[in-house]
Amino acid sequence: MKLEEESWENRHYQLCPMDLGLFQALERERVLEVLQRDKALRTIEADRIRRLKVELQGIYHQGAKTITRPYGQRSCARCQRPLGKFWDCGSVCCGCSHRICSRCRVVRSAIEWKCTMCHAFREFKIKSGDWFLEQQAKKYTDIKENGHETTGDKLLQSYQRLSFIAVVPPTPPPFKEVKSFNKSEEPKTSKPFTKSMENLMMSVSAHIRKLSKSQNDLSVEAGQLTVNYGRLNSRRKSLSEGALDRACNLCKAPSLPDLSQNAKSSEQYASSSSVYLTDDDVSYTSAYSDEHRDSNSSTGMDCGFFENSVTGEIEVAFGYNNRTSCLEITIKACRNLMFGDMRKKCHPYVKVRLLPKKYHNNKMKTAVRRGNNPVYNETFTCALEREQLVSSVVKVSVWHSRGLKRKLFLGETFLRLADFSLEKTHTQRSVWNTLGPKQRHSLGGDVELFPSDLLLLNAQLQFLTHTDDTLTGSAGQLKVVITDVWKLSVSKTAYIEGVLHLPGERELVQRTALKKTDALQMSFRVSLQELQQANLQINLWEKHTFSLADRLLRSARLAGESSWQRLQQSPGEWHDFVLPLHATVSTNMRS
Amino acid sequence: MTDGDYDYLIKLLALGDSGVGKTTFLYRYTDNKFNPKFITTVGIDFREKRVVYTTNSPNGTTGKTFKVHLQLWDTAGQERFRSLTTAFFRDAMGFLLMFDLTSQQSFLNVRNWMSQLQANAYCENPDIVLVGNKADLSDQREVQEKQAKELADKYGIPYFETSAATGAEVDKAVVTLLDLVMKRMEQCVDKPAADTHNTDGTSKLDAVPTAEKKCAC
């Protein structure tokens, strides 16, 4: 038996592992055929994993605390729902250490639960076979250096060196990204991670791209190799990198080449059209190019020139159905629209869009009517969580349809749902709104700074009662601290203005210059009674260098008794608020 | 057969001495057919099968069902292929360690295969099922059930007596292994890395039976 055992060991060391050269040609062929089959299977598997990753990313993007929304805020890290201080305050997920509301949990047992994101991540790890690679990496340290090559892979490669195929197929690059993937995961195992998940997700996208790239190489390689294995060609299935890029960019801004193309096409159109079109038409070309709002494409220079030509109003009504969690938008009518062309024709229709685009993807359009006082009475419904009402903006734009020719911009307006206090009543409230010219991105070139039309600020509010104040009796102090000021670092000349509107047209105003690092603090002397009907507005202004007039960039409004009640109930305590800071819609100027 | 429409890709591997019936076993499992001819496997091969796996939630009710794509690696038992076959151990998630019930030698070699596994598998204590094949040839039987069962117990792994010829217990052996692997996946993901080493399954290979060694040598 001892002898037998020795021979086992010896044999193992005698043969140089992974050397197909020792086999007879026929045997080698057989083995390679198997390896090719294996490779085909792995290609399918890699495809599947990529799909899983994209899915996971989708879940992640749906709603998560990201770098722009730091940890420590009183809202659910997944659905962004604000959490209470005492009840419905959520609890911390053991996976990601974020505070999670009761809806965003996947309960596994009586005591064990995970947030939806952690659950999805766990599922991904199992389904993608990541768990196995992790275990493998523990034993085989070389995996970390060489990537997750399977034995079959290596053998195929070593065969390529032996083979007579003249064209040496490119070997797939080692998955370097995998390394970082692992690295970012390692600290997680030792301690509960908060940021590592985010880091990980960041590397995932890069990883996916890398993977698809190597996949590409692989399939090319398969094509070259399969001179003898023709049937494999039909199995090539890998996504091209371009296609994947597209998938990745679904929720991002358009990619650069797209942008330049868009810009080019609209520019071309502008130059060709302005030759024979009327003034109004020129204004539309600028409008058209501006339709790619997120892009840096040429925002028509003439825009300001024709601003005055936009006329008219639009009647819009909003309602919120609490039962179905649906926002109802009714486009009622327009009046005094400007004419579509010189012959005083007008075929207007209305486009409705819920912003920020990141969350809402539905465009809504009315039918085309005739004349410049059209009546529509069309209602659109879109699913919208109650909590999102306050942060959503409805963009309503009116266009003139010209059949096969490009549509012509007639005016637009932005409506903040927060201003309608829709939560309270179900009945629709209709308002006439003046149509304005096409909005340039309110921040001009700084698009990257503000990827969405909306910026969420974290604010902490505190109400202090001064019992010893003899002058006004029950006077108090409202303190406002904005913690993430760095988000606002637009330009050096920007400043923040806090306006506390009090009953009786009174206003308390405080202005503070923006310093990048510090938290921004403001305080107002206000009595308890006054505060109940108060209305706090935070404005971000920019000093205009040339015109001497300041430009209002963004503003947020905090109103409603419920928010103030929170403050009053526990004076002296800090309360967290999320201030949706909207890009301002009107080009407010003041000197 | 192979499209990406499945939830898990599970790679299992059959190993054991030459001629114990690994290939016929897998052929029976995937195609439910029996080929009595002995064709030695050249190096490696694999077969695929799509199965539906149902999780059993702890409270007894049947849980979710998943589509599992099984990649069943078949290895050559012959020694001259050993370096090749052992290289494939590390990419498999579970192992069917087979021996021939009609060959005492193949049973004795189980221990060697075990140490091969320990050295070359993805971890020190992988999921293994011990399979005694050719149970239908009862008149030529050399390994008693009790003997094999004892060995399996020492390693802490399940044991099955199968017959590729009749199909007896073949499915059960594979399904048991699949079950183990599925449980392992959950474990690996749920428990912090340090823990997985020190929980239940560790003794499988670490405690290589000393008693067995004594009597064999």
Side-chain angles (χ1 to χ4, degrees), chain A residues 520-587:
Chain A
L520 199 143
Q521 197 167 353
M522 288 180 279
S523 66
F524 305 92
R525 284 182 75 85
V526 64
S527 78
L528 243 166
Q529 288 81 8
E530 282 174 322
L531 187 64
Q532 265 161 10
Q533 287 151 29
N535 171 345
L536 178 69
Q537 197 164 355
I538 308 276
N539 299 325
L540 175 67
W541 290 88
E542 187 189 17
K543 281 205 180 102
H544 220 278
T545 342
F546 301 111
S547 65
L548 292 171
D550 295 352
R551 195 155 63 102
L552 181 60
L553 299 178
R554 283 167 178 273
S555 81
R557 195 181 294 174
L558 188 68
E561 289 171 31
S562 58
S563 358
W564 302 129
Q565 265 169 14
R566 266 171 69 187
L567 291 181
Q568 287 160 8
Q569 272 163 10
S570 47
E573 261 184 58
W574 289 101
H575 293 264
D576 290 313
F577 285 88
V578 180
L579 296 178
L581 211 58
H582 298 281
T584 51
V585 283
S586 52
T587 41

Side-chain angles (χ1 to χ4, degrees), chain A residues 203-476:
Chain A
S203 79
V204 160
S205 70
H207 178 60
I208 292 174
R209 198 162 310 164
K210 202 100 181 183
L211 208 110
S212 85
K213 202 174 196 170
S214 57
Q215 204 64 62
N216 252 359
D217 292 346
L218 272 182
S219 63
V220 169
E221 192 184 327
Q224 284 167 336
L225 258 180
T226 45
V227 193
N228 306 323
Y229 308 104
R231 67 201 158 86
L232 268 171
N233 280 334
S234 61
R235 282 184 161 181
R236 270 201 278 157
K237 228 180 141 178
S238 77
L239 271 170
S240 74
E241 197 186 355
L244 196 94
D245 264 347
R246 238 168 288 142
C248 282
N249 281 330
L250 276 180
C251 44
K252 288 189 208 150
S255 62
L256 215 73
D258 277 351
L259 278 180
S260 56
Q261 225 170 4
N262 285 338
K264 212 182 275 173
S265 71
S266 52
E267 263 167 26
Q268 267 173 2
Y269 193 78
S271 58
S272 63
S273 60
S274 53
V275 178
Y276 50 85
L277 288 182
T278 58
D279 289 357
D280 281 348
D281 279 323
V282 181
S283 90
Y284 111 76
T285 54
S286 70
Y288 176 74
S289 67
D290 207 354
E291 214 185 6
H292 313 280
R293 269 181 81 81
D294 289 346
S295 71
N296 265 332
S297 63
S298 61
T299 32
M301 293 164 289
D302 319 323
C303 201
F305 222 81
F306 299 101
E307 256 171 29
N308 302 332
S309 61
V310 171
T311 60
E313 289 166 280
I314 184 164
E315 192 183 8
V316 186
F318 292 103
Y320 187 71
N321 191 333
N322 274 315
R323 199 169 44 81
T324 53
S325 294
C326 276
L327 175 72
E328 292 166 6
I329 306 167
T330 306
I331 303 298
K332 296 204 156 172
C334 297
R335 61 187 177 204
N336 298 326
L337 290 176
M338 67 174 184
F339 287 103
D341 59 21
M342 293 295 272
R343 281 169 292 171
K344 303 268 177 192
K345 266 190 188 170
C346 197
H347 300 161
Y349 69 93
V350 181
K351 276 203 321 196
V352 182
R353 176 104 217 221
L354 211 54
L355 303 175
K357 281 180 190 168
K358 198 173 130 194
Y359 297 112
H360 314 292
N361 205 22
N362 35 356
K363 288 182 208 164
M364 295 155 278
K365 276 186 203 171
T366 66
V368 178
R369 306 276 167 192
R370 277 166 186 267
N372 63 344
N373 293 307
V375 179
Y376 296 100
N377 279 326
E378 285 188 50
T379 304
F380 303 100
T381 53
C382 35
L384 186 71
E385 286 303 315
R386 240 177 98 102
E387 291 75 27
Q388 285 181 295
L389 272 178
V390 72
S391 60
S392 294
V393 172
V394 175
K395 173 186 169 188
V396 182
S397 51
V398 187
W399 298 80
H400 168 52
S401 162
R402 305 191 299 172
L404 294 173
K405 282 162 92 182
R406 288 216 175 115
K407 60 200 177 174
L408 175 57
F409 176 75
L410 294 180
E412 71 177 1
T413 182
F414 288 75
L415 303 160
R416 262 179 242 164
L417 293 179
D419 297 349
F420 290 85
S421 50
L422 294 168
E423 312 87 357
K424 285 173 188 160
T425 51
H426 175 57
T427 48
Q428 293 203 349
R429 301 171 173 213
S430 74
V431 196
W432 279 99
N433 301 279
T434 318
L435 290 170
K438 197 83 189 168
Q439 289 297 314
R440 269 169 287 194
H441 201 288
S442 49
L443 293 169
D446 293 328
V447 184
E448 283 125 306
L449 270 176
F450 300 100
S452 70
D453 297 321
L454 184 75
L455 187 70
L456 293 172
L457 270 196
N458 294 321
Q460 293 181 323
L461 270 73
Q462 180 196 38
F463 184 71
L464 289 170
T465 45
H466 294 291
T467 43
D468 56 341
D469 200 318
T470 46
L471 283 171
T472 42
S474 61

Side-chain angles (χ1 to χ4, degrees), chain B residues 61-80:
Chain B
T61 54
T62 46
K64 293 175 207 159
T65 54
F66 299 106
K67 276 173 270 180
V68 176
H69 193 81
L70 286 175
Q71 188 184 24
L72 300 149
W73 284 95
D74 185 11
T75 59
Q78 284 181 5
E79 287 152 24
R80 65 190 197 96

Side-chain angles (χ1 to χ4, degrees), chain A residues 27 37 45 122 136 151, chain B residues 6 45 80 87 90-91 190:
Chain A
E27 290 172 344
R37 271 202 298 139
E45 172 71 355
R122 176 185 178 275
Q136 238 183 358
T151 309
Chain B
Y6 53 85
D45 194 5
R80 65 190 197 96
R90 74 185 233 173
D91 292 322
D190 287 338

Side-chain angles (χ1 to χ4, degrees), chain A residues 39-259:
Chain A
K39 188 183 208 162
L41 183 66
R42 270 186 286 121
T43 310
I44 291 166
E45 172 71 355
D47 234 22
R48 188 182 69 95
I49 291 172
R50 197 163 41 235
R51 258 181 285 131
L52 285 174
K53 274 183 181 162
V54 171
E55 243 171 67
L56 179 71
Q57 247 187 335
I59 293 173
Y60 178 73
H61 280 302
Q62 259 172 26
K65 279 197 173 143
T66 53
I67 288 144
T68 50
R69 301 199 60 205
Y71 174 72
Q73 192 184 313
R74 281 227 168 253
S75 70
C76 171
R78 298 294 153 244
C79 64
Q80 317 288 324
R81 206 160 61 98
L83 295 170
K85 191 116 192 168
F86 299 111
W87 59 279
D88 191 24
C89 56
S91 50
V92 175
C93 169
C94 58
C96 59
S97 314
H98 278 316
R99 193 161 275 276
I100 307 293
C101 75
S102 52
R103 277 189 241 165
C104 300
R105 294 178 196 173
V106 180
V107 179
R108 282 166 47 76
S109 68
I111 36 164
E112 204 186 344
W113 62 269
K114 273 186 172 173
C115 75
T116 44
M117 181 64 210
C118 287
H119 180 75
F121 187 67
R122 176 185 178 275
E123 291 287 287
F124 169 78
K125 253 177 133 179
I126 293 179
K127 290 194 173 177
S128 65
D130 248 20
W131 68 274
F132 183 72
L133 299 180
E134 267 174 33
Q135 295 293 315
Q136 238 183 358
K138 270 183 216 158
K139 186 167 170 184
Y140 297 96
T141 43
D142 62 305
I143 282 177
K144 281 180 190 156
E145 284 137 38
N146 301 335
H148 297 299
E149 271 181 335
T150 63
T151 309
D153 241 340
K154 284 182 200 154
L155 271 173
L156 268 180
Q157 280 174 37
S158 68
Y159 174 70
Q160 280 150 25
R161 269 173 248 127
L162 286 167
S163 69
F164 301 105
I165 299 173
V167 189
V168 180
T171 50
F175 295 178
K176 288 228 176 72
E177 215 57 48
V178 172
K179 237 164 90 184
S180 74
F181 201 78
N182 278 339
K183 259 185 201 158
S184 54
E185 235 159 275
E186 270 157 17
K188 192 210 80 185
T189 51
S190 53
K191 59 177 182 193
F193 64 105
T194 42
K195 286 279 177 204
S196 72
M197 178 81 93
E198 274 83 358
N199 296 341
L200 197 112
M201 286 313 300
M202 285 182 146
S203 79
V204 160
S205 70
H207 178 60
I208 292 174
R209 198 162 310 164
K210 202 100 181 183
L211 208 110
S212 85
K213 202 174 196 170
S214 57
Q215 204 64 62
N216 252 359
D217 292 346
L218 272 182
S219 63
V220 169
E221 192 184 327
Q224 284 167 336
L225 258 180
T226 45
V227 193
N228 306 323
Y229 308 104
R231 67 201 158 86
L232 268 171
N233 280 334
S234 61
R235 282 184 161 181
R236 270 201 278 157
K237 228 180 141 178
S238 77
L239 271 170
S240 74
E241 197 186 355
L244 196 94
D245 264 347
R246 238 168 288 142
C248 282
N249 281 330
L250 276 180
C251 44
K252 288 189 208 150
S255 62
L256 215 73
D258 277 351
L259 278 180

